[in-house]
Amino acid sequence: MPRVMSATATEEVTGRALKKQLRQAERLKKIKALALVLPLVIFLLLVFVQPISTMLARSVDNSELMEVMPQTAAAISDWTGEGLPSEAVMAAFAEELQTSRRGGGLGRVGRRLNYEDPGFRGLLMRTLRRLPDEPAAAWQTVLPELDPAWGETSTWQAIQRAASPTTDRYWLAAVDRERSSSGEVQPVAEEQQVYLSVFERTLVIAGSVTLLCLLLGFPLAYLLATLPTGTSNLLMIFVLLPFWTSLLVRTASWIVLLQTGGVINGGLMGLGLIDEPLQLVFNRFGVLVAMVHILLPFMILPLYSVMKGISPSYQRAAISLGCHPFAAFWKVYVPQTISGVAAGTLLVFIMALGYYITPALVGGASDQMVSYYVAYYTNTTNNWGMAAALGSLLLVVTLVLYLVYHRLVNQQQLARS
Amino acid sequence: MALQPYASPVEKAWYWFLRIFCALVLLFLMLPVLVIIPLSFNGGSFLTYPLDGFSLRWYQEIFDPQGPWLAALKNSLIVAPFATLLSMVLGTLAAVGLNRADFPGKGLILALLISPMVVPLVIVAVGMYFFFAQVGLLNSYSGLILAHTVLGVPFVVITVNATLQGFDFNQMRAGASLGADPLTVFFKVVLPQILPGVASGGLFAFATSFDEVVVALFIASPAERTLPIQMFSGIRENISPAIAAMASIMIALAVLLLLVMEILRRRSERLKGEAAVS
């Protein structure tokens, strides 16, 4: 008996040891797998996520005044915002205005304050030229004498707004809002409202492009999926060659085709269909044509791969049961393509939202999308806060749509299983 | 979907309508690719038909050693291969890791790896412009290579991930039990089987870098002006037949890419077929 007992005991011990070993081996495998993924994750965190965070931070960044005029910024933050700030604030401001001339700080502060009031940089320059080294009286009387603007509460309120470490002004401006002098959010003057209509235009262009791609892509994908493999592979080249051709080449081609002296106008006039050339490019029509052409393969390919997997038997069964062929197509075939339609439309829509190059080349001034303004504020006017806020808003819209897409695809997979 | 002999007239009409409609869509897709090639041999300096005699002068202009095109091509040929190589190495490692074992946060990690495809290019460009200025990578080849690696790497992750779906990782264990070290197992057992995926991902990454304008416009100086930037400013300023010539060369490149992709696809299918038989 004892021998048997000891045998089971050993078995138990080795069993436990084996389980432990197995767990360790499993953990080791996980660690090894993670170690393979880690280099790319770290790379993307450094070169992709970090830059985007930098941009997000820029959109609320308000550090100009704090860095160039730290004492003024600190002193004015305690001011109630009524009447005029204390002598200490004005003295700090006068001193730091002098020192800011060195090292280019004045330019930064001037640009930042100009967003509050377009005449602010001029005011700073004027004041600086007349500024005495030692004031004859208190700065509270000297400064307003130099320029009456310094006697106004709103001037100092603007400085106070620029003195906090963060600001929501760029985000508000991106949706055509601003803060009134009392700090309430209000719509900007009607003639200055730009961005909401730019966002609307972006959505309209992306939506039209998506719809057109679906209308053109669905029948073609259907035909390709139902033709014999040899023929469909051959015709697929017509889809894949444009897909692999440079976006710039295709955009240039459309300009050549559509311009006033271009191939299409020449052909139509040669046929006697029109007397004078039509304006087909550098307007909305040109943008839609070129964007649909570039994005159409992204609609066709997911549709095709879904349609390829649909068995024709269901449709045939419906018809043999007395269903009209059109009804069978609409009620039996089309619902099976929904996952492909969803994938294709969301993919095209998401890609179209961020388009910059094509509208910039084939569009007019009123066809530019959000991306154009982001690029404009970064490169042309150096209003980085505005560029960052518009970019962040575009990013939020895109990521929300991406999330919806993910949910949709996952739910379909759940429903199927 | 052949037309049945007993089809009704309405069905016949639909049959032909669908075919004609699709033919027009295919024409729409191919027209821009086809129309620009003859124009590159135009003797005149306008991009219109009828052609003004045959000439190779625009190709001469492109291959002028002092001209801007060759310099731009050279820059692209410096940036694209390095970005492709880096994407292939990082992307393949990550895809193998993701398929090797289950670990927490896998879905999230995959979403992160794919996200450069989704985020609008201009946002990547502005972010990198701010960030590269801080770390001194602005206006440099290395900055451009890193940026294009970010944009190319999702393609490699996706294609290698797809090839690994049918991969039996027990082969790695078998290799190890026969005395091979992990590196040998990877190069002799894993890589030959996933090579079509790695290569097609690499082609995508190369094509992305070779066609990327937005990020390059933001973070490159005239010294690193790549081919797409040169094309972009050419189209913007004055669209001449030299652009048509360059475009034709790039279309030839697209044909080449398409051919290589097709060969890779067939090879991958054959490998899968062999695995299924054995």
Side-chain angles (χ1 to χ4, degrees), chain B residues 30-255:
Chain B
M30 283 304 283
L31 193 64
V33 179
L34 296 178
V35 91
I36 202 149
I37 297 171
L39 287 172
S40 67
F41 299 106
N42 195 356
S45 39
F46 293 104
L47 280 165
T48 46
Y49 288 96
L51 297 181
D52 199 5
F54 176 87
S55 136
L56 286 175
R57 58 188 271 219
W58 304 110
Y59 286 90
Q60 271 174 345
E61 188 178 321
I62 288 208
F63 289 110
D64 172 14
Q66 261 82 52
W69 290 98
L70 221 52
L73 183 66
K74 200 193 90 200
N75 282 338
S76 272
L77 286 177
I78 291 173
V79 173
F82 279 111
T84 307
L85 199 68
L86 211 51
S87 308
M88 278 163 78
V89 172
L90 289 172
T92 307
L93 283 181
V96 170
L98 282 173
N99 283 278
R100 186 87 179 82
D102 274 317
F103 43 83
K106 207 165 145 178
L108 206 69
I109 290 177
L110 190 65
L112 168 73
L113 302 190
I114 306 297
S115 56
M117 281 176 85
V118 186
V119 173
L121 275 176
V122 96
I123 290 170
V124 181
V126 172
M128 285 185 175
Y129 175 71
F130 293 151
F131 180 68
F132 282 9
Q134 289 170 8
V135 295
L137 278 169
L138 214 56
N139 305 335
S140 71
Y141 284 119
S142 7
L144 213 50
I145 290 169
L146 291 179
H148 283 180
T149 304
V150 168
L151 299 177
V153 92
F155 295 106
V156 182
V157 172
I158 288 175
T159 53
V160 177
N161 205 22
T163 347
L164 280 171
Q165 290 305 315
F167 184 80
D168 185 357
F169 277 96
N170 284 327
Q171 294 177 65
M172 284 171 91
R173 243 175 250 167
S177 78
L178 291 168
D181 58 273
L183 223 59
T184 316
V185 170
F186 179 78
F187 280 108
K188 296 240 155 144
V189 178
V190 184
L191 194 60
Q193 296 184 63
I194 61 169
L195 199 59
V198 178
S200 57
L203 280 183
F204 268 110
F206 185 85
T208 307
S209 170
F210 219 70
D211 193 24
E212 201 288 316
V213 213
V214 185
V215 177
L217 271 176
F218 277 72
I219 65 170
S221 72
E224 298 92 36
R225 172 178 269 246
T226 57
L227 193 58
I229 302 185
Q230 176 64 26
M231 289 238 10
F232 177 74
S233 50
I235 297 169
R236 192 159 231 194
E237 283 146 23
N238 155 41
I239 180 159
S240 83
I243 293 199
M246 196 63 232
S248 306
I249 295 171
M250 290 178 86
I251 291 169
L253 184 75
V255 173

Side-chain angles (χ1 to χ4, degrees), chain A residues 214-228 232 235-236 299-308 310-312 315-316 319 325-326 328-330 332-334 336-337, chain B residues 1-2 11 14-15 18-19 21-22:
Chain A
L214 186 62
L215 286 178
L216 298 182
F218 192 93
L220 184 59
Y222 175 70
L223 185 71
L224 288 174
T226 48
L227 281 174
S232 75
L235 290 180
M236 208 44 154
M299 179 69 84
I300 293 175
L301 295 175
L303 277 175
Y304 174 77
S305 73
V306 168
M307 287 173 173
K308 200 74 189 158
I310 297 176
S311 157
Q315 218 179 329
R316 276 190 213 135
I319 296 172
F326 292 148
F329 178 78
W330 183 249
V332 177
Y333 188 81
V334 174
Q336 297 183 78
T337 64
Chain B
M1 219 212 36
E11 279 175 276
W14 268 107
Y15 177 88
L18 180 68
R19 269 158 178 71
F21 181 85
C22 289

